[in-house]
């Protein structure tokens, strides 16, 4: 009896292991197959469309709709989201002149106020466009205890910049270099390079001590190529057609440290939504069109000469493919970062992960 029970148990265990391996391998192949289908049928075909949709990428296009499909032995549920609908954290480490501009967005001339050496430490002179926007975003994020004050947002931004830039010096308004992280209970090595995953943000001074802030930031930020390091792929600028509603808080006059007020944010969202819901469903075709309308409405009291529209776009190159595959009683999950070439429309997989981009 003991021999029969032992043999039976080992046989069942072996069969269960084999089944798990088989279902796991099958699930992985279905995940990658869904990724290829998403690239060919949705992203590539979208850029080759000849209808009235124009060049813009927006949330009424086929790629943004969820997919649910039966497969042999189970089901796949997949979704494509716009990676450039989030704030690219790697833009923070770049000097203004190193940011490649989109053809439709020529670089604006330097603020004359900043050409005076005495004004170099003023907010609009000391921080780049991306850094000013991130400071405003941090203050707009709702937290259980209280929103961040301006100085706290500045200090966190400085620490993020020090985490990524090659300069070993500590920025004077709250930065942190290797000496700070060496003093932690568990020392951390500062990469002094662009982030490869947004998960790195949880280790940065100021964010490390505020886990709630990190959780609220996760759906709003991402680590994508930026600057000259992006090479032929180009810079991943923020797509105003697909960006999260809270990200509209980042716009304001260059010298303004605070985000826009909620009423202005809601009106900007309405302008974006109206463009998406018109009969032709073309979305915003250019950044300039959006702000032309905005300055006649919610931004009417803002000096347009002191308002920056750089590092924004209406088109997207980077997308996130996420899927769940259920085979038998096993579920396998995966995420991929896809890059679509703007000219030919070919889609390539940048990397796959179970973590955050």
């Amino acid at each position: 009896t003991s021999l029969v029970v032992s043999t039976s148990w080992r046989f069942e265990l072996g069969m269960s292991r084999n089944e798990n391996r088989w279902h796991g391998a099958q699930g992985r192949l279905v995940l990658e197959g869904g990724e290829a289908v998403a690239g060919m049928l949705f992203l590539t075909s979208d850029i080759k469309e000849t209808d009235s949709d124009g060049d813009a990428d927006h949330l009424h296009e086929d790629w943004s709709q969820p997919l649910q499909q039966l497969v042999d032995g189970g089901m796949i549920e997949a979704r494509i989201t716009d990676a450039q609908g989030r704030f690219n954290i790697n833009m923070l480490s770049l000097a203004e002149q190193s940011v490649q501009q989109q053809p439709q967005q020529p670089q604006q001339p330097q603020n004359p106020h900043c050409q005076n050496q005495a004004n170099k430490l003023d907010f609009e002179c000391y921080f780049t466009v991306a850094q000013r926007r991130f400071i405003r975003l941090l203050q707009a994020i709702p937290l259980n205890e209280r929103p961040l004050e301006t100085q706290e947002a500045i200090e966190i931004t400085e620490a993020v910049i020090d985490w990524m830039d090659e300069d070993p010096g500590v920025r004077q308004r709250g930065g942190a270099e290797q000496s700070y992280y060496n003093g932690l209970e568990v020392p951390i090595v500062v990469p002094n390079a662009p982030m490869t995953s947004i998960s790195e943000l949880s280790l940065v001074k100021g964010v490390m001590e505020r886990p709630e802030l990190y959780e609220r930031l996760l759906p709003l930020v991402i680590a994508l190529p930026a600057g000259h390091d992006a090479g032929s792929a180009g810079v991943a600028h923020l797509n105003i057609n697909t960006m999260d509603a809270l990200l509209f808080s980042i716009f304001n006059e260059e010298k303004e440290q605070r985000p826009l007020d909620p009423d202005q944010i809601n009106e900007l969202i309405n302008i974006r939504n109206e463009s998406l819901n018109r009969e032709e469903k073309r979305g915003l075709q250019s950044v300039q069109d959006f702000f032309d309308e905005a300055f006649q409405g919610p931004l009417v009291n803002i000096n347009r000469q002191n308002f920056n529209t750089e590092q924004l776009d209406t088109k997207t190159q980077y997308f996130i493919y996420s899927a769940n595959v259920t085979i038998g009683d096993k579920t396998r999950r995966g995420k991929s970062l896809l890059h679509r070439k703007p000219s030919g429309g070919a889609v390539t997989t940048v990397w796959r992960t179970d973590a955050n981009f």
Side-chain angles (χ1 to χ4, degrees), residues 103-307:
Q104 66 171 351
Q105 289 294 302
Q107 189 168 9
Q108 296 180 199
Q110 185 180 15
N111 188 335
H113 174 79
C114 298
Q115 295 176 0
N116 187 336
Q117 190 65 31
N119 302 326
K120 290 298 183 182
L121 295 181
D122 289 352
F123 181 75
E124 65 269 35
C125 306
Y126 185 75
F127 293 104
T128 66
V129 174
Q131 292 163 4
R132 294 196 296 268
R133 289 173 177 167
F134 190 67
I135 290 169
R136 297 184 192 119
L137 174 61
L138 289 174
Q139 297 173 77
I141 293 176
L143 300 174
N144 288 333
E145 185 177 348
R146 61 172 178 80
L148 292 178
E149 299 292 339
T150 300
Q151 186 56 38
E152 293 173 314
I154 288 175
E155 290 174 358
I156 290 174
T157 302
E158 296 265 55
V160 175
I161 296 169
D162 275 344
W163 180 270
M164 294 189 289
D165 66 15
E166 298 178 356
D167 184 357
V170 178
R171 291 176 68 93
Q172 61 182 2
R173 304 189 185 191
E177 286 288 356
Q178 190 61 58
S179 57
Y180 169 83
Y181 295 97
N182 284 339
L184 299 177
E185 184 176 350
V186 179
I188 299 171
V189 176
V190 177
N192 291 127
M195 293 187 185
T196 56
S197 166
I198 202 61
S199 300
E200 292 182 43
L201 188 60
S202 64
L203 304 176
V204 176
K205 175 189 174 185
V207 181
M208 184 192 312
E209 298 84 358
R210 297 178 174 92
E212 184 193 359
L213 174 62
Y214 174 69
E215 292 299 324
R216 298 291 178 93
L217 275 171
L218 270 183
L220 303 173
V221 294
I222 193 168
L224 294 175
H228 295 302
D229 291 339
S232 60
V235 179
H237 286 162
L238 188 62
N239 187 338
I240 58 177
N241 275 317
T242 59
M243 69 185 196
D244 188 276
L246 190 60
L247 287 173
F248 282 96
S249 63
I250 67 178
F251 303 125
N252 214 328
E253 282 194 51
E254 293 181 349
K255 66 179 181 179
E256 289 296 332
Q257 303 180 26
R258 299 284 299 171
L260 292 177
D261 65 55
D263 290 338
Q264 290 174 301
I265 294 171
N266 289 333
E267 289 187 57
L268 289 176
I269 295 169
N270 288 336
I271 293 174
R272 194 263 303 271
N273 291 344
E274 286 173 6
S275 74
L276 293 174
N277 294 325
R278 290 175 186 139
E279 186 177 351
E280 62 272 19
K281 299 188 183 303
R282 287 167 53 88
L284 294 162
Q285 291 295 305
S286 77
V287 174
Q288 197 65 38
D289 290 345
F290 173 71
F291 284 106
D292 283 345
E293 191 170 348
F295 276 102
Q296 297 176 18
L299 305 183
V300 67
N301 294 323
I302 290 179
N303 184 348
R304 191 164 186 170
Q305 299 299 318
N306 296 326
F307 188 93

